[in-house]
Amino acid sequence: MTSPSPAPAGPRTVFIVSDGTGITAETFSHSILAQFETRFRNVRIPFVDTIDKAHLAVRRINDAFEAEGVRPIVFTTLVDPVANQVLRDAKAMILNMFQTFIEPLENELGLKSTHAIGRLHQNADTEAYKNRIEAINFSLMHDDGQSHKNLAEADVILVGVSRSGKTPTSLYLAMQYGLKSANYPLIPDDFERGKLPSALLTYKSKIFGLTIDPARLSEIRNERRPGSKYAALENCRYEVNEAEAMMRREGITWLSTTHKSIEEIATTILQEIKVERDY
Amino acid sequence: MTSPSPAPAGPRTVFIVSDGTGITAETFSHSILAQFETRFRNVRIPFVDTIDKAHLAVRRINDAFEAEGVRPIVFTTLVDPVANQVLRDAKAMILNMFQTFIEPLENELGLKSTHAIGRLHQNADTEAYKNRIEAINFSLMHDDGQSHKNLAEADVILVGVSRSGKTPTSLYLAMQYGLKSANYPLIPDDFERGKLPSALLTYKSKIFGLTIDPARLSEIRNERRPGSKYAALENCRYEVNEAEAMMRREGITWLSTTHKSIEEIATTILQEIKVERDY
């Protein structure tokens, strides 16, 4: 299918050619190329939604080939058959993420694909999109216990000590999944009272806890407020112990964010709150 | 390669099976299935990082087949060859996003892939990840002109009238690309003075403008403050005209967000500010 090229001197150039933003294709290519212990130079060519733009993309790809002496790798999600035909003439290895899977799917489903350009990217004029924007605004307004208003609307309420990862996770859940996510810090006042913040008591079923290794927490807090009591390991140990004890007592599910990315935290939360959506 | 199944009565079940979060695979599958005018039921099975979990995934897939009488579609990014072997026995159509592209890439690059599990998902312990978290915090602290501190560190400063899309775009740039993004509202005070907010004058080269159709703006503002002067079409027209005149005068590049998603806005901004990263 492809013949080996000689190993290049510099990083191999990788093009992402898409009729939309190319973000999904770029993330995917990034993931798969991480399986190779070599470096790549990444060039995304988005919005290739005319034949002229396809020709321009081919020119850029061929220029890279001439300059580097080794053919670039192209990940593409172009839908238009004519644009794909144009792209096939580039001096490059073409990995077509669209065509590779669409034909077997057509056979499996017994349906023809619509070949609709733009379907491969997020559309701003849909209900789902408006929900995402609304969820982002909700999460911002309900960041760090700022507002008790409309908590009944929240899909999830994150709790945890300061700097345990609540804010980025809330925003990610909103941005990626359109989930209205509030977050509340658990603070020494709560530990002395031995109770969850009272605003939360009626919503216990949608509370999810984040915890973190005290040493890591101390590191993170020291970047913000070096040498403070807030950041001291002893204090971090106290807060984390108290927070975990409280969550245990209240029957709140929690996870440790210490070595987890936002995406991993969000995925775990989604599994717990069992959100499954049709589309 | 695959034989057609009879058309199902309900929505066809689609599984995403991943050894990481499966978010990229899910987004991709969502995009490609949007090419078919039928409905799908979406089930993500993340963190399949042992052979036992692969067997559990197969059981869930087979259960869906039994219950629905039509074989599910499985998008997978499993890296482990043994886990893939287990998955192949499922009563399903398997679309392997990993294996499909890894072999041609091995030939092209003259390298063996590392088959490293977990490389396909974001890792929380890298510099790049820390930069993303730092960028999210920066963008939150510099939302809506809240802080003039450390603007020198910003990668981009978004300006535009209230509700033109600055906040979600800033957060997206931070979350997806680790870009430190500040945003400043352009308000009637600025229009009367006929000048950009003074804190921004030294950073003109990294300012990017967002504008929006006044009728759409009025709609959005009316959801927030129904019947207000702020939301009135006449006032929206005034603000948008003034903001565009100011951006033109100051030589600021801008785009209209009216029919654009956050992803499209962010992609256009990245093209303008020409951020290209190796990885």
Side-chain angles (χ1 to χ4, degrees):
Chain A
M1 170 171 170
T2 54
S3 57
S5 315
R12 180 84 71 117
T13 300
V14 174
F15 287 92
I16 316 296
V17 181
S18 171
D19 51 38
T21 64
I23 291 173
T24 306
E26 184 177 47
T27 309
F28 177 73
S29 72
H30 193 150
S31 302
I32 202 154
L33 293 173
Q35 293 284 329
F36 293 97
E37 301 202 314
T38 181
R39 291 185 68 77
F40 300 94
R41 188 174 72 96
N42 181 45
V43 182
R44 177 157 51 120
I45 310 183
F47 307 130
V48 178
D49 49 10
T50 66
I51 302 305
D52 277 357
K53 288 185 192 166
H55 281 291
L56 284 174
V58 169
R59 198 176 307 160
R60 286 181 67 184
I61 294 164
N62 289 347
D63 285 351
F65 170 73
E66 301 298 340
E68 292 156 22
V70 57
R71 61 181 195 162
I73 294 162
V74 177
F75 285 87
T76 174
T77 54
L78 289 184
V79 171
D80 184 74
V82 182
N84 269 316
Q85 190 54 55
V86 169
L87 195 62
R88 253 193 298 276
D89 290 337
K91 290 162 186 154
M93 179 199 205
I94 308 280
L95 297 171
N96 196 312
M97 297 173 62
F98 181 78
Q99 290 184 327
T100 302
F101 295 114
I102 210 80
E103 211 183 282
L105 278 168
E106 286 183 339
N107 292 336
E108 176 70 19
L109 296 167
L111 286 172
K112 277 285 168 198
S113 71
T114 57
H115 280 68
I117 287 183
R119 284 235 180 171
L120 276 171
H121 66 101
Q122 293 82 354
N123 192 315
D125 298 318
T126 61
E127 262 325 287
Y129 183 76
K130 280 176 200 154
N131 287 345
R132 279 177 69 203
I133 297 293
E134 209 184 308
I136 293 169
N137 290 329
F138 183 94
S139 297
L140 277 174
M141 276 175 44
H142 293 81
D143 184 36
D144 206 31
Q146 273 177 68
S147 168
H148 302 336
K149 262 176 64 181
N150 308 327
L151 275 183
E153 279 178 38
D155 293 301
V156 60
I157 301 172
L158 302 179
V159 298
V161 300
S162 164
R163 297 286 122 192
S164 55
K166 300 183 300 300
T167 296
T169 304
S170 290
L171 291 172
Y172 187 81
L173 286 169
M175 197 159 299
Q176 181 78 8
Y177 296 105
L179 290 180
K180 290 184 178 169
S181 172
N183 76 82
Y184 265 75
L186 296 179
I187 58 175
D189 281 1
D190 301 316
F191 306 142
E192 281 160 33
R193 271 205 336 273
K195 279 186 184 158
L196 283 174
S198 58
L200 303 186
L201 292 175
T202 28
Y203 304 112
K204 233 198 263 182
S205 64
K206 52 189 177 188
I207 296 179
F208 194 94
L210 302 185
T211 190
I212 182 169
D213 173 61
R216 177 76 190 117
L217 180 62
S218 172
E219 228 176 271
I220 295 170
R221 288 183 172 185
N222 264 310
E223 281 167 26
R224 283 242 151 166
R225 300 200 215 150
S228 63
K229 186 201 164 198
Y230 166 78
L233 180 56
E234 207 43 53
N235 180 58
C236 290
R237 272 205 197 105
Y238 163 75
E239 288 192 28
V240 168
N241 279 341
E242 289 288 329
E244 291 184 358
M246 182 177 289
M247 294 191 287
R248 200 173 293 119
R249 220 160 46 228
E250 302 278 358
I252 293 171
T253 309
W254 84 80
L255 67 81
S256 166
T257 65
T258 311
H259 299 291
K260 286 200 167 64
S261 67
I262 313 174
E263 286 79 1
E264 291 168 319
I265 302 167
T267 297
T268 306
I269 294 171
L270 283 176
Q271 284 187 291
E272 287 293 330
I273 64 176
K274 307 242 184 311
V275 183
E276 261 180 33
R277 284 138 305 156
D278 295 357
Y279 55 86
Chain B
M1 174 170 170
T2 53
S3 58
S5 312
R12 179 84 72 120
T13 301
V14 175
F15 287 92
I16 316 295
V17 180
S18 171
D19 51 38
T21 64
I23 292 173
T24 306
E26 183 177 49
T27 309
F28 177 73
S29 72
H30 194 150
S31 301
I32 203 153
L33 294 173
Q35 293 286 327
F36 294 96
E37 302 202 315
T38 181
R39 292 185 68 76
F40 299 94
R41 188 174 73 95
N42 182 44
V43 181
R44 177 157 52 118
I45 310 183
F47 308 130
V48 178
D49 50 10
T50 65
I51 302 306
D52 277 358
K53 288 186 193 166
H55 281 291
L56 284 174
V58 168
R59 198 176 308 161
R60 287 181 67 183
I61 294 164
N62 289 347
D63 285 351
F65 170 73
E66 301 298 341
E68 293 155 23
V70 57
R71 61 181 194 162
I73 294 163
V74 177
F75 285 87
T76 174
T77 55
L78 288 185
V79 170
D80 184 74
V82 181
N84 270 314
Q85 190 54 55
V86 169
L87 196 62
R88 251 193 302 276
D89 290 338
K91 289 162 187 157
M93 177 199 206
I94 310 279
L95 298 170
N96 196 313
M97 296 173 63
F98 180 80
Q99 290 184 327
T100 302
F101 295 115
I102 209 81
E103 209 183 282
L105 278 168
E106 286 183 339
N107 292 336
E108 176 71 20
L109 296 167
L111 287 172
K112 276 285 167 198
S113 70
T114 57
H115 280 69
I117 287 182
R119 285 233 177 172
L120 275 172
H121 65 103
Q122 293 83 353
N123 191 314
D125 297 319
T126 62
E127 262 325 288
Y129 183 76
K130 281 175 199 154
N131 288 343
R132 279 176 69 202
I133 297 293
E134 210 184 307
I136 293 169
N137 290 329
F138 184 94
S139 297
L140 277 174
M141 277 175 43
H142 293 82
D143 184 37
D144 206 32
Q146 272 177 68
S147 168
H148 300 337
K149 261 176 65 180
N150 308 327
L151 275 183
E153 278 178 38
D155 293 303
V156 61
I157 301 172
L158 302 180
V159 298
V161 300
S162 163
R163 297 286 123 189
S164 55
K166 300 183 299 301
T167 296
T169 304
S170 289
L171 290 172
Y172 186 81
L173 285 169
M175 197 158 302
Q176 181 79 8
Y177 296 105
L179 291 179
K180 290 183 177 170
S181 172
N183 76 80
Y184 266 74
L186 296 179
I187 57 175
D189 282 1
D190 301 316
F191 307 141
E192 280 161 33
R193 271 205 337 274
K195 278 184 183 157
L196 283 174
S198 58
L200 302 186
L201 292 174
T202 28
Y203 304 111
K204 234 197 265 183
S205 64
K206 52 189 177 189
I207 296 179
F208 194 95
L210 302 185
T211 192
I212 183 169
D213 173 62
R216 176 77 190 116
L217 181 62
S218 172
E219 228 176 272
I220 294 171
R221 288 184 172 184
N222 264 312
E223 281 168 26
R224 283 241 150 169
R225 299 200 215 150
S228 62
K229 187 202 161 198
Y230 167 79
L233 181 56
E234 207 43 54
N235 180 58
C236 291
R237 272 205 196 104
Y238 163 76
E239 288 193 29
V240 169
N241 279 340
E242 290 287 329
E244 291 185 357
M246 181 177 289
M247 294 191 285
R248 200 174 292 119
R249 220 159 49 227
E250 303 278 358
I252 293 170
T253 309
W254 84 80
L255 67 80
S256 167
T257 64
T258 312
H259 299 291
K260 286 198 168 64
S261 68
I262 313 174
E263 286 79 2
E264 291 168 321
I265 301 168
T267 298
T268 306
I269 293 171
L270 282 176
Q271 285 187 292
E272 287 294 330
I273 63 174
K274 304 237 186 312
V275 182
E276 262 180 30
R277 285 137 304 153
D278 294 358
Y279 58 85

